[in-house]
């Protein structure tokens, strides 16, 4: 035999209400966070699109002076620079797949030749592209294409330095593109470039003259998709409203009007419909109000009938005569007058 559950107590309703409000607040906080991510990704996508559509400018116009960070609005901007590579100080970036494939990124220091500008002699780490892993293992590639020698005109896109790596790597390799870490991992260390670096690196677009051995260029980055965060924002808002609505529905079902046995026997399965039907039945059962004219007609009819009986006439027969209705109506008009 199943146990019949009693009505919830006031304390239980208060606990449920507090729980619903807290869950709704959590959903609102999640929606706010997703909205902030939407704003961030939207700004990043717009900045990336704008930067890729801009023409290259001289490196002295955008590259920060030694020790200065790269402004956010200059990230991915294209610059042209003259100078020379330091191929003997090449370093490999590991554990950075491209299009799902495991590759090494080739990082080479580039010394800027820009006399009369603050960036003359600045050492810029350049990501020239990628090379596949060797067939024998993942420690080093089989071959690393050398950059062009001598004076080179470089076109590259500027990127802000990444955080310094926290994991160790084999000699001549790094886990992130941090200028200081890359120069330190190169042959001979990075002391030769002290005071000549900035917190930025370049992604090679083209070189003139071109290198003898081609290297796989890096693909254009995919801009962030802010619409994903926008959809998550809407979903969390719906969840917040749903928490409050669920409490309201539960309250209505357990504390609001309920179907009676008579409603169920009458075929009603909705509380509102059953209540409307009961109200209509009550209105139909109320006695109809009698107008003043109807009351006067009833009095006149009763008086005429009594007079005929007093005169010894047969009221029933008189009512049956064709002229009876006319005489009654005339009497009523006379009485009313």
């Amino acid at each position: 035999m199943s146990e019949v559950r009693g009505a919830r107590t006031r304390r239980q309703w208060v606990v449920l209400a507090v729980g619903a409000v807290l869950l709704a607040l959590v959903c609102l906080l999640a929606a706010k966070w997703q909205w902030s991510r939407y704003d961030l990704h939207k700004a990043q996508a717009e900045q990336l699109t704008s930067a890729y559509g801009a023409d290259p400018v001289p490196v002295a116009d955008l590259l920060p002076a030694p020790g200065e960070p790269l402004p956010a609005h200059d990230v991915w901007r294209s610059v042209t620079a003259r100078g020379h590579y330091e191929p003997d100080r090449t370093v490999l970036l590991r554990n950075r797949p491209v299009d799902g494939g495991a590759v090494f990124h080739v990082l080479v220091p580039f010394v800027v030749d820009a006399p009369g500008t603050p960036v003359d002699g600045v050492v810029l780490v350049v990501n020239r592209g990628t090379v596949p892993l060797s067939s024998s293992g993942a420690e080093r590639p089989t071959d690393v294409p050398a950059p062009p020698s001598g004076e080179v005109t470089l076109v590259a896109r500027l990127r802000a330095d990444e955080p310094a790596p926290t994991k160790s790597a084999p000699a001549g390799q790094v886990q992130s593109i941090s200028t200081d870490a890359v120069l330190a991992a190169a042959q001979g260390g990075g002391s030769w470039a002290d005071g000549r670096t900035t917190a930025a690196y370049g992604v090679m677009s083209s070189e003139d003259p071109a290198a003898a051995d081609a290297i796989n260029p890096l693909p254009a980055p995919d801009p962030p998709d802010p619409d994903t965060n926008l959809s998550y924002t809407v979903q969390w808002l719906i969840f917040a409203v749903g928490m409050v609505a669920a409490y309201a529905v539960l309250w209505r079902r357990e504390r609001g009007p309920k179907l009676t046995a008579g409603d169920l026997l009458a075929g009603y399965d909705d509380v509102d419909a059953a209540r409307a039907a009961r109200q209509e039945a009550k209105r139909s059962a109320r006695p109809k109000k009698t107008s003043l004219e109807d009351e006067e007609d009833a009095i006149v009819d009763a008086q005429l009938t009594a007079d005929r009986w007093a005169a010894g006439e047969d009221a029933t027969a008189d009512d049956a005569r064709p002229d009876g209705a006319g005489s009654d109506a005339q009497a009523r008009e006379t009485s009313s007058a």
Side-chain angles (χ1 to χ4, degrees), residues 163-169 175-176 181:
T166 57
K167 297 180 179 180
S168 61
Q175 298 280 4
S176 66

Side-chain angles (χ1 to χ4, degrees), residues 193-220:
D194 286 347
R196 300 164 57 192
T197 61
T198 66
Y201 70 94
V203 178
M204 188 266 288
S205 298
S206 65
E207 298 165 330
D208 186 22
D213 298 322
I215 192 169
N216 298 322
L218 291 171

Side-chain angles (χ1 to χ4, degrees), residues 151-195:
E151 191 78 7
V152 177
T153 299
L154 170 71
V155 178
R157 295 189 179 276
L158 297 180
R159 296 289 309 276
D161 259 7
E162 299 174 0
T166 57
K167 297 180 179 180
S168 61
Q173 299 181 18
V174 291
Q175 298 280 4
S176 66
I177 308 179
S178 169
T179 297
D180 292 340
V182 172
L183 296 178
Q187 181 179 352
S191 59
W192 66 277
D194 286 347

